[in-house]
Structures are given as C-alpha cells and as structure tokens.
Amino acid sequence: MAAARAVQEMRTRVVLGEFGVRNVHTTDFPGNYSGYDDAWDQDRFEKNFRVDVVHLDENSLEFDMVGIDAAIANAFRRILLAEVPTMAVEKVLVYNNTSIVQDEILAHRLGLIPIHADPRLFEYRNQGDEEGTEIDTLQFRLQVRCTRNPHAAKDSSDPNELYVNHKVYTRHMTWVPLGNQADLFPEGTIRPVHDDILIAQLRPGQEIDLLMHCVKGIGKDHAKFSPVATASYRLLPDITLLEPVEGEAAEELSRCFSPGVIEVQEVQGKKVARVANPRLDTFSREVFRNEKLKKLVRLARSLSSQQGCCHQTC
Amino acid sequence: MEEDQELERKISGLKTSMAEGERKTALEMVQAAGTDRHCVTFVLHEEDHTLGNSLRYMIMKNPEVEFCGYTTTHPSESKINLRIQTRGALPAVEPFQRGLNELMNVCQHVLDKFEASIKEYKDQKASRNESTF
C-alpha cells in the first residue's frame, strides 16, 4: 500500500524537499503507469474540472482551476499577456511641443496610457493604411498651455500656486469622435482608464498640442497593447503534517509558515498544530532550517490545481 | 530532430493569405526519406510555446502516440518544430489533428465553466449586498 501511495504522490504532487524539488514534470501519460488509464477522456475531464472564483473586483481577478494541467494553464497565461487585443495610442501627430519632454519620449508615454474602449467593437487597421477610418481608429486631442498665475503670492515658491496648467494629466485628453463614433459611443465611455496619470510637466510659455490615433493591437506586437498589468498562475500549496505536532513544537511550527497557514488549537489541555489554510503560504521553506520540525512536514504543490491571478488596468 | 540525411519537404496543410497575391505558410510537414508516414516533423510558423506546449500535452495523452516533442528553432524565429511518432502504422497526421480538436474542446469547456463561475460569483455578491440592507 505504501507503493500505491508513493505512486499517487508521484502523479499528483510536486514535492518541495530540503535540497530540491521532485516530480516537477507531468508524468500521467498513457503507458507510464501500469494500472492507470491516462488516455485523454473529455468526459472525465469535464466531470473533474471546475473553476472557483476567489476574488473579483475592478482591478484584479483571482480564481482556481481544478483538474487541468499546467501546460494548458500556462497557455492561458501567455495568451492573456500577449494575444488579447486592446486599443492603445499608436500614432501621435505633434503640432506644437515646446515642453522639456522630447517628442518621441512624449509619444512613448502616450502609447502606454491605457484606453477605456472595448477592442471587440473595433477592427485591426489594414497594413499600409495611413489614414485610418472610424472602424479602426480612435482620436484624442491633447492641448495644454502653461501660463503664470497672476494671483500668486509675491514670495511663493510652490509651483501649484505660481503656475496654471503646469502638470499635464490624462484628464486633459479629449476624445475627438470620427465618423459615426459619436452615435455609437455615449459621451464619457471613450477615455483613458485613469484620469490622473501625469504625462508631462510644463512651465509658463510651454505648450503641448497634439493629436493621437489609437489602434487595436496585441501584446506580442508591443507591450502597450497588453490588457493585463500582469497575469500569473501557481500550483496550489499542499502542506501535510506527517506526525501530530504538539506543545511548544506546535507554536514553533506556526512561526515557520506565513501567518494563518498553521493554526494552534487547544485540545484536551495540549496545544496541537493543524493546517488551517495552506493557500496563504508563500513557501519560504523556513521549516527546513529547524532540525526537529523538518521531518514532520511535507511541503508539496498540487499538480492538478492551479490558482490564476490577473491584475488588470481595466 | 534534424539528423535525417535527405529531407522531403512537402508544403501541405493550411495556407493563410495575408493580402492579394501574397501567401504565407502556416504549416509544413517534413518527412525523412525512407520512413513511412508514421514519424513526421511538423513546422508551425508564427507559433511559440503557447500552442506548442499545450498541443504537445494533448497529443501525448493519445495512447497511439509513441513520441511527441516540440522545440523552438531559435528565439529570433517564431516557429516551432513538432515531432510525432506513432505506434504501428498510424499516419502521424491523425493524432496531430485529433490533438488540435481536443485542445479546442478543452478550451471551449474551460471558457464555458469560467463564464458560468464568474456569473455565479457576481450573482452571489449582488445578493449578499442586497441582504445587508
């Protein structure tokens, strides 16, 4: 029976040993283990697969996928980063830029500004098409001139008081509808995602006057088109106590892991350690530095359970 | 993978046309002379680990496949070589097609389950917000 348990561990767990990590690769292919039917079975996959959303808000999403292999989860992560399209500023037509920021630096910064527009409603621009039509382009205008504030105090040195419009933010960008875009998109829906991104700083007499064209693109082409700040996944942690841990050792054990992973409970007058929430652990492997405790715990990750996390701009 | 002496390059499979008169290959099949169709190297253009690793996993899950591996030829070139060797006389194209179809089914199922899960989470949150009033 120990052999069966060992095989089961080999198939389903990545084990973090003191000096190395074991069972990293997926081995459950047909023919590797006798007695196991590892051929692909869509029905079995559908029965075992589930998605649990852990956290969802405007800026981030965290969910668990159970019953899927790391190869496919990684493909999803790569696609999120590189192949999901968004709209971003591609061409900047500079009419007047007397600021300290060079044209190309300014254009680069403008390209990185996230734009609140659903890319599914637009088409890719055809290669070689310079002008752009209403179906593939969004236009924004940025026109800011900095002047001296006539009402500032004589001896003030605070730029906020001395100058007017000395900081150019994304809220100074105005949308210029093309063609029938004004009918399709209600007022206020096409805008930069955040209105408080500082683009450039000016001093009196300096002006920025430019027109921006946004097109649809993917992250593979340029990172500005990537819809996520980052997307990541990890195999869910699985911590098991090989023997009951009691008393002072229990307290020591709970300090070896991230807070909340190990819970020390009072059972019949004795303090007993229990694995409360292995999800929270970040695997610092501090427990391996303790001679007594390292034999009592098995640190592992579940090969068929992934926790995906994506942080987005919108 | 490229230790074969004589190569018989056959351009078959899909061709995507980019613009009028310009055709770009998406897929090639390379077979060493002297072998029959059960060991083949497929060259997939404009692809990388995203498709390569997941497709390799799906094809390996097929019991008829004796060997399946993929490699990126060079980081500057965006193409992968995917080699399939089958048991017996099964033509290698068959597990290749089957792997692609199964991968599509997996992704479709994951999408359906994910959307259902998101909707359920949002509904739960909405009803919890209402119940606090």
Side-chain angles (χ1 to χ4, degrees), chain A residues 88 90 93 125 130 164 186 190-191 207 210 220-221 232 235 254 265 269 274 289 297-298 301 305:
Chain A
E90 175 90 353
L93 308 171
R125 200 182 261 197
E130 288 297 320
V164 172
I190 304 290
R191 55 177 170 79
E207 184 184 356
L210 43 84
K220 245 192 209 178
D221 176 25
S232 68
L235 303 181
S254 75
Q265 288 172 329
R274 188 182 77 86
R289 298 181 67 212
V297 190
R298 186 193 74 171
R301 287 190 186 271
S305 210

Side-chain angles (χ1 to χ4, degrees), chain A residues 109-295:
Chain A
R109 287 177 67 80
L110 291 169
L112 293 170
I113 295 171
I115 304 288
H116 187 275
D118 189 343
R120 293 170 294 192
L121 302 172
F122 295 89
E123 282 174 18
Y124 290 102
R125 200 182 261 197
N126 295 323
Q127 267 190 352
D129 183 359
E130 288 297 320
E131 270 306 310
T133 58
E134 65 212 12
I135 194 62
D136 59 32
T137 309
L138 281 175
Q139 240 182 42
F140 285 91
R141 188 85 197 271
L142 179 63
Q143 192 180 19
V144 183
R145 172 177 285 176
C146 178
T147 50
R148 206 175 290 276
N149 181 5
H151 307 294
K154 262 294 195 308
D155 49 356
S156 162
S157 60
D158 177 15
N160 292 325
E161 227 188 86
L162 285 173
Y163 314 121
V164 172
N165 282 344
H166 71 283
K167 285 189 174 175
V168 181
Y169 289 101
T170 38
R171 67 177 81 98
H172 293 122
M173 282 167 61
T174 49
W175 176 44
V176 180
L178 290 169
N180 63 351
Q181 282 177 354
D183 308 317
L184 288 173
F185 304 109
E187 193 61 41
T189 51
I190 304 290
R191 55 177 170 79
V193 175
H194 308 281
D195 63 358
D196 55 355
I197 300 177
L198 181 63
I199 300 174
Q201 290 199 41
L202 303 172
R203 285 294 179 265
Q206 295 176 348
E207 184 184 356
I208 291 181
D209 183 3
L210 43 84
L211 196 63
M212 296 173 256
H213 286 200
C214 300
V215 296
K216 181 171 169 177
I218 55 174
K220 245 192 209 178
D221 176 25
H222 192 288
K224 70 190 180 194
F225 292 116
S226 180
V228 292
T230 193
S232 68
Y233 85 99
R234 63 169 184 158
L235 303 181
L236 271 187
D238 173 43
I239 301 172
T240 22
L241 300 177
L242 301 171
E243 286 167 25
V245 180
E246 295 166 354
E248 188 51 40
E251 292 285 344
E252 252 185 282
L253 189 70
S254 75
R255 280 195 296 273
C256 287
F257 291 92
S258 308
V261 175
I262 301 279
E263 195 188 6
V264 178
Q265 288 172 329
E266 285 278 336
V267 172
Q268 294 169 340
K270 279 188 302 178
K271 285 196 259 191
V272 177
R274 188 182 77 86
V275 179
N277 194 358
R279 259 185 111 85
L280 297 172
D281 198 31
T282 47
F283 280 136
S284 64
R285 297 158 108 195
E286 175 69 23
V287 70
F288 290 126
R289 298 181 67 212
N290 186 315
E291 282 305 316
K292 274 190 293 119
L293 296 177
K294 69 180 180 190
K295 300 191 223 15

Side-chain angles (χ1 to χ4, degrees), chain A residues 26 28-30 38-40 42 45-46 49 51 53-56 61 63 68-69 71-72 75-76 78-79, chain B residues 46 48-50 53-54 57-58 60-63 102 105-107 109-110 113-114 117-118 121-122 125:
Chain A
T26 314
D28 56 347
F29 294 118
D38 288 323
W40 180 257
Q42 181 74 11
F45 164 72
E46 291 189 7
F49 179 71
V51 175
V53 176
V54 171
H55 173 81
L56 168 64
L61 165 66
F63 60 97
I68 198 170
D69 186 67
I72 305 185
F76 291 146
R78 290 176 63 96
I79 290 175
Chain B
E46 308 293 316
D48 56 9
H49 304 280
T50 309
N53 197 24
S54 43
Y57 172 79
M58 296 309 296
M60 279 294 285
K61 280 290 203 178
N62 185 342
E102 284 177 348
N105 294 338
V106 168
C107 294
H109 181 76
V110 173
K113 270 275 169 73
F114 177 73
S117 214
I118 292 278
Y121 181 86
K122 285 187 174 162
K125 231 172 106 168

Side-chain angles (χ1 to χ4, degrees), chain A residues 19-60:
Chain A
F19 298 111
V21 186
R22 301 196 306 270
N23 302 338
V24 179
H25 299 288
T26 314
T27 48
D28 56 347
F29 294 118
N32 276 348
Y33 298 99
S34 66
Y36 284 90
D37 175 22
D38 288 323
W40 180 257
D41 185 351
Q42 181 74 11
D43 294 321
R44 197 171 53 202
F45 164 72
E46 291 189 7
K47 208 156 52 89
N48 291 331
F49 179 71
R50 63 167 207 274
V51 175
D52 302 320
V53 176
V54 171
H55 173 81
L56 168 64
D57 69 18
E58 209 181 284
N59 289 323
S60 71

